[in-house]
Amino acid sequence: MRYLLSHRTTYTYASTVDSAHHIAHLRARDFPGQTVSAIGIETDPAPALAAQHIDHFGNLIDIYRIDKPHTRFDIEVRAEVDVCFPAPPPMATTPPWEEIRAALNGDGFPVPVEASEFVHDSPLVPSVTALRDYGAPSFTPGRPILEAARELTSRIKADFEYHPGATDISTPLATVFAGKAGVCQDFAHVEIAALRAHGLAAAYVSGYIRTVHTPDEIALRGADASHAWVAVWCGEEAGWVHLDPTNDLVAHEDHVAVAWGRDFSDVSPLRGVILGGDSHSYGVAVTLVPTG
């Protein structure tokens, strides 16, 4: 599926901002199953300094310094992206989850080195005993990892209410789990915590989802502005498999990935430091148009 993507964020400040530094994770990246054929970012005001960088996880980031006094900041990314995530192998053919855990541990010398860093706690996904207990029924002895992870994904979709406004990015993971309500980033963090509690590697993926379908198709849940899901390491042969607990899906053609990391804090779309401005409001407008 080919998409035309537009993502525009507007900040309006109560008083003048004298200078600002921004870091943006807005450029969709190439990886197996996704190709970015065109992409560009525009800002208003124009930056005094603009630089691109690749972060630790291979994500494309833009760094801006704005020295001109301003009361509004607009940033828009436009891209053309082809998406067709590879189909994972049959679930029953993937290795037992204990075998994956052992490889990721490796007695201090893990075999999949790059995957092993996604086993550990991260700022927004600390260890939560209740989430280990929640995941345990799916990870029975000898069960193939993808079969177990898919069941966990389905259970999260069934057990949690999609409720915009129930949480924000500062809501602790334990509180999200206790309330059984939240949005896509919360559900991704819940699944990541349950997987990591069993010694497995799970990454947070930020991007977009096509929620508008024909009347004959099931409507997908997701924010108009963005979406988030999970990539779980299923061994050298299967690699990373992308699972969407908000919709109980294996990512295929409806998802467009932008960046990935340990949790949301690694891939926040836009963050920075400003001098002045007082309070602010912001708006986000996203269009994701399939073109063929």
Side-chain angles (χ1 to χ4, degrees):
M1 180 70 68
R2 174 167 292 182
Y3 293 101
L4 293 179
L5 165 68
S6 171
H7 180 169
R8 184 182 186 90
T9 304
T10 300
Y11 286 86
T12 303
Y13 304 104
S15 63
T16 301
V17 172
D18 294 318
S19 64
H21 293 257
H22 298 285
I23 297 177
H25 283 92
L26 290 171
R27 291 183 186 268
R29 57 184 288 183
D30 289 331
F31 66 93
Q34 179 169 294
T35 302
V36 181
S37 54
I39 194 164
I41 296 182
E42 294 183 356
T43 70
D44 185 16
L49 171 69
Q52 293 183 22
H53 180 63
I54 297 177
D55 71 10
H56 171 72
F57 303 104
N59 302 313
L60 306 173
I61 64 175
D62 288 87
I63 302 170
Y64 301 106
R65 188 187 77 221
I66 300 173
D67 293 338
K68 180 188 301 183
H70 57 284
T71 57
R72 174 176 169 140
F73 175 61
D74 292 272
I75 182 168
E76 182 177 12
V77 58
R78 294 183 179 182
E80 185 172 330
V81 187
D82 288 279
V83 180
C84 186
F85 284 53
M91 293 185 293
T93 66
T94 57
W97 68 270
E98 299 98 331
E99 181 179 313
I100 300 296
R101 178 182 62 184
L104 288 164
N105 180 30
D107 292 327
F109 297 94
V111 175
V113 175
E114 292 184 0
S116 66
E117 68 178 308
F118 293 96
V119 174
H120 306 291
D121 294 355
S122 57
L124 298 181
V125 186
S127 296
V128 176
T129 301
L131 276 165
R132 188 191 189 288
D133 296 340
Y134 178 75
S138 296
F139 291 93
T140 52
R143 194 171 194 187
I145 184 170
L146 187 52
E147 184 179 292
R150 279 296 286 122
E151 182 183 277
L152 176 63
T153 303
S154 298
R155 289 171 52 212
I156 293 171
K157 166 68 160 54
D159 294 343
F160 287 74
E161 178 188 359
Y162 184 79
H163 186 181
T167 61
D168 59 37
I169 194 58
S170 65
T171 304
L173 182 58
T175 302
V176 171
F177 180 71
K180 297 295 192 298
V183 292
C184 53
Q185 69 186 28
D186 300 307
F187 303 154
H189 286 157
V190 165
E191 181 156 14
I192 289 168
L195 288 161
R196 289 179 183 169
H198 287 80
L200 301 171
Y204 180 99
V205 187
S206 70
Y208 307 96
I209 187 171
R210 181 171 66 118
T211 58
V212 179
H213 285 249
T214 67
D216 295 332
E217 295 178 298
I218 298 174
L220 300 180
R221 302 192 301 185
D224 292 335
S226 61
H227 196 54
W229 58 95
V230 176
V232 58
W233 177 255
C234 292
E236 294 290 346
E237 184 174 342
W240 293 98
V241 177
H242 291 237
L243 303 177
D244 179 354
T246 304
N247 294 291
D248 188 18
L249 291 174
V250 177
H252 182 48
E253 291 187 336
D254 290 316
H255 297 71
V256 176
V258 173
W260 71 352
R262 298 164 302 166
D263 58 38
F264 175 83
S265 65
D266 286 331
V267 295
S268 174
L270 189 67
R271 64 180 186 268
V273 177
I274 65 173
L275 178 63
D278 291 332
S279 61
H280 71 271
S281 60
Y282 74 96
V284 177
V286 173
T287 58
L288 187 65
V289 180
T291 61

